[in-house]
Amino acid sequence: MSNSTERKVTANIALTLDGRYSGPGGPGDMGAIVPYAVTEVARNHLTRIWENATTAVLGRLNAEGFLGFWPTVAADDNADPRDRGYAKWLVDTEKVVLSTTLTDAPWERTRIVNAPAADVVTELKATGSGDILVNTSASVIKPLLAADLIDRLYLLITPEIAGGGARLFDDGLPATKWALAHQDTGDLGEVALVYDRVR
């Protein structure tokens, strides 16, 4: 069992002050988050997120959005080097997409898995090396929090109250303790936080 603890499971997500990852208008309502995602602090945070990760775990919707967007950034010489670094990593790294509807992966170095997130991540932990990054996919992060499988949280907190929309931290999660590993505050009031699970 010793090798099952070597890989860290990390998760990255942006949240409003009231803990939402999208606003009252539904999954596409990102008005309280998007303006803060392209700041210096957010871009430096983006680099921190992937630099130790060797596997990206995504839900289907995020995979479709990300993999429709980031490959063009990877190829753009004029893009911010931090954006390009992340984009190239995402294109080149091993990707696991959790989906009940997709059967074939339309992207390179990607496999589609139709199984509970906790089972998939537990299996990934037992093989390979490097961090397993659950990339902005709340549908995957939530069951992993419920199973206490996340070792590190990368959070970008925006200084807005959305007043509605989906929350990341639902009632009923196991009580857990976290240690602050890093923090940065941006000019717009956004805060990048890295928390490690205290076990």
Side-chain angles (χ1 to χ4, degrees), residues 6-62:
E6 283 169 22
R7 299 193 79 180
K8 260 205 249 185
V9 180
T10 68
N12 159 45
I13 200 159
L15 299 174
T16 59
L17 271 184
D18 53 343
R20 323 273 182 178
Y21 53 88
S22 61
D29 183 356
M30 302 295 283
I33 287 170
V34 167
Y36 308 95
V38 291
T39 61
E40 287 297 298
V41 159
R43 283 187 155 126
N44 291 336
H45 190 59
L46 191 63
T47 301
R48 210 172 289 125
I49 284 157
W50 65 263
E51 58 193 359
N52 296 316
T54 52
T55 304
V57 178
L58 298 146
R60 179 185 62 84
L61 285 174
N62 271 64

Side-chain angles (χ1 to χ4, degrees), residues 124-171:
L124 285 170
K125 273 179 72 97
T127 57
S129 61
D131 289 356
I132 299 158
L133 171 64
V134 184
N135 204 350
T136 314
S137 297
S139 64
V140 183
I141 298 172
K142 285 183 177 197
L144 295 181
L145 283 169
D148 194 17
L149 282 171
I150 293 179
D151 303 305
R152 171 169 274 197
L153 279 169
Y154 294 99
L155 301 175
L156 183 73
I157 308 298
T158 73
E160 296 195 23
I161 292 172
R167 287 182 190 273
L168 182 66
F169 301 110
D170 293 325
D171 285 351

Side-chain angles (χ1 to χ4, degrees), residues 62-103:
N62 271 64
E64 288 177 346
F66 285 9
L67 295 161
F69 171 75
W70 286 105
T72 57
V73 178
D76 181 359
D77 292 340
N78 299 315
D80 184 288
R82 292 161 296 185
D83 291 357
R84 263 196 101 179
Y86 168 76
K88 287 171 118 155
W89 171 81
L90 187 62
V91 169
D92 292 341
T93 201
E94 172 195 28
K95 290 170 284 295
V96 177
V97 175
L98 299 182
S99 175
T100 55
T101 54
L102 284 180
T103 47

